[in-house]
Amino acid sequence: MRALRRRATATAVLLPLLPLFLVGACSGGPSLENQGAVTAPPGDSKHLTIGTAGFTESDVLAQMYALLLKQAGYSTKILSVANRELYEPALESGQIDVVPEYAATFADWLNAKTNGAKAPPVGSPDLDATMKALRGLAAPRGLTALDPGKAVDQNAFAVTTAFAKQHRLKTLSDLGASGLKVRLAAGDECVQRPYCEPGLKKTYGIDVTGVDPKGVGTTQSKKAVQDGKDQMVLTTTTDATLSDFGLVLLADDKHLQNADYIVPVVNRSRAGSERVAKVLGALNSVLTTQDLASMNEQVDSWRRLPEDVARSYLESKGLLKG
């Protein structure tokens, strides 16, 4: 259930590319004439297009990738595309060279594309197993998933700070052990998704009495918890507005949620070089989930431009020369 950070809307789609995107979206992998992209040595094109899915977090990550690659001598441009159905085939074809992704979500997406919508999920809370599955699915399509960093954008659950303090809650296990009845503000699909209501009940023993369908991490959902109409809200780990509503996350201490760590995915024939991997890998050592949340807040609440936020962050970490 990657609803909040995956509800991407395009901010700029290059119209001449759309016919190629749509053709690629129906394919099962590289065409025969493009099979060389899968078996050829990794490429190192000096002109790279960075893809973004058009929502704040993706925009900031794409800007950081572009700035780091430009500093390393590559010419870069950013292309914003609405959804995976469009940008993933463009990544396969080389119209996009690099894109920030989410390990478990992208692994499951490629799995469904390769093996059908009813294929058992391959994404899991185990990052190593998830990355192995992702790389196995990506390679035949001419894609390479680089190393993930520490930052993760997972589904998460929040309660008011007062509620947590009153009942001594720090984790979801604490909530389950408390026996408290909980009405959950979330998307209507939460009733069926294994990582939402069913998982909260089965894994944590939480007494979920109902789901208030106000959406994932929406203002309405958080306001309902703030006002006491609901007791808990489904959001994400990089939600930057929780404190505005007096909310705090409860730790997913039994690892119910999948390993949606940030991972760059590249077109192997154009950006599969060790140099690109080293440049983007430098971000892994510093970027945290909290950093992402802070940058999201700067764009969404402070109205700063994603490029300015990305540049300031990289300079503050010594990764970009001023």
Side-chain angles (χ1 to χ4, degrees), residues 215-287:
V216 181
T218 62
T219 297
Q220 293 86 349
S221 288
K222 284 179 273 195
K223 192 73 169 57
V225 176
Q226 181 185 41
D227 293 343
K229 296 178 181 178
D230 299 325
Q231 288 70 51
M232 189 162 67
V233 60
L234 170 63
T235 182
T236 70
T237 52
T238 59
D239 189 331
T241 66
L242 293 177
S243 61
D244 296 341
F245 296 88
L247 303 178
V248 62
L249 293 179
L250 296 181
D252 178 22
D253 54 306
K254 291 184 178 179
H255 305 293
L256 172 64
Q257 303 303 322
N258 278 347
D260 262 324
Y261 286 76
I262 309 299
V263 56
V265 180
V266 302
N267 178 291
R268 183 177 183 274
S269 66
R270 290 183 50 81
S273 69
E274 290 185 8
R275 188 180 179 202
V276 168
K278 182 178 180 180
V279 170
L280 297 182
L283 195 56
N284 290 349
S285 62
V286 298
L287 184 65

Side-chain angles (χ1 to χ4, degrees), residues 22-59:
L22 295 176
V23 169
C26 299
S27 68
S31 59
L32 290 176
E33 61 268 25
N34 293 330
Q35 284 295 331
V38 178
T39 57
D44 192 28
S45 173
K46 301 306 177 186
H47 307 281
L48 299 177
T49 298
I50 318 300
T52 166
F55 57 92
T56 297
E57 188 168 288
S58 187
D59 288 344

